[in-house]
Amino acid sequence: MATATREHWSSRRGFVLAAIGSAVGLGNMWRFSYLAAENGGAAFVVFYLGVTLCVGIPVLLAELVLGRGSQQSPIRALAHYGGAAWRPLGVVFVAAGFLILSYYSVIAGWTLRYGLVALAQGFPADVADRFGDVATGWDAFGFHVLFMGITIGIVAVGVKGGIERTALVLMPTLFVIVVGLAIYASTLPGAGEGYSYYLAADVSKLLHWSVVKDAAGQAFFSLSLGMGAMLTFASYLQRDEHLPNATLTIAFADVAVAFVAGLVVFPLIFALGLEERVGASTVGALFITMPQAFAEMGAVGRVVGTLFFAALVVGALTSAISLLEVVVSSAIDGLGWTRAQATLAAGAAITLLGVPSAWNTDVLGVIDQIANNLFLLGGGLALSIFVGWVMQDPIAEAASGTEGIRWFPLWRWLLRTAVPLFLALVLFYAVPETTAAIAGLFSSAP
Ligand code: PHE
């Protein structure tokens, strides 16, 4: 039986850092800053915090409860508590892992390349104009393959020796770099303008529905929710872990890194007068403006740029590991494959699936929307209904390892009512938008 031989984390710290590693990634540094720029700064930040607190945290705890309680990968965990009828939802989670990692790794490849360029020679003055070359075609594909290779190498080693060890070393490094960069950014002339753009609410945007929708999508993406990544990591936990504490620690660290990353990006952009470029915010904004800023900073830019992209690569890597692990653990549990077989096969398939994203950033952007708007938000809706209504006594399962927590009944109530209602409402608007984006992609194709 899978449970008897199941791998486990060697320490609590290892699990929490690996889960934070999953949460903290391109979402915090790339997606968060471009969405904040697009959606009126603080207005977006406020909604994002609200959704994280009221919706993200309950769903995160739900995933941890399902994973730890069942000691199984997503498909089996759902069947364990809900019967075979729930297996298809698990299959959707695995599909989401495939889809998200396929383009996530392409973007991670851009960051890997920029990190190496900064380290080796510094950014050339015309770096902004060359983004198209970096972001597409064989260049993008090559770095996507390289990044997938590293991810596959780590996941193949296993939960303790690969995933946990990587997180124990890399996550503290990432925190130090990001905080250091924020301190450095605060000393730049023009930092103040960057802060006020970032943190002053554009009240006209506060009432925009699209801000709420983007904030919801971002909260789910950033916390790695709605596709079983957190569930899978929790399935390697012993039953004495204090899940509410772990939930709050993971959520806090995730929000903190996103917030501090904004304190790096906005001052830098304003110090170098590049704000117009961010206004025309797209998927590539960060990858156009930041290297340009580093190029203009000369020798300092080389150091700062190397650190900035190193932090992005580290964040992306620990997140990619968790995405791949969803697929790998499902193949190990469900198909009886060895870890090496599962990792290689899944990794190779995902690498191929990334080809369209590597050749076309519009395709990448639309897949990102599909992943977020449909898979993660839809997955979150299904998970909240599952734990709120289908699972017997989720509170007892959550309480294992704790003395019982006063807000557990509130948690269950949220999962039964407010969370699914909110997510259904968001989906109601997000689905047509996503289908329109897909249609747009086909109609604009040559
Ligand atoms: N949370 C990761 C990030 O912010 C992305 C991710 C999403 C990872 C879903 C796993 C699952 O970059």
Side-chain angles (χ1 to χ4, degrees), residues 139-162:
D139 287 60
F141 182 69
F143 281 91
H144 161 61
V145 171
L146 181 60
F147 182 84
M148 279 304 298
I150 302 171
T151 309
I152 291 169
I154 295 169
V155 172
V157 178
V159 174
K160 274 191 196 118

Side-chain angles (χ1 to χ4, degrees), residues 214-229:
D214 280 349
Q218 174 62 12
F220 268 69
F221 186 84
S222 190
L223 278 173
S224 309
L225 295 179
M227 46 119 355

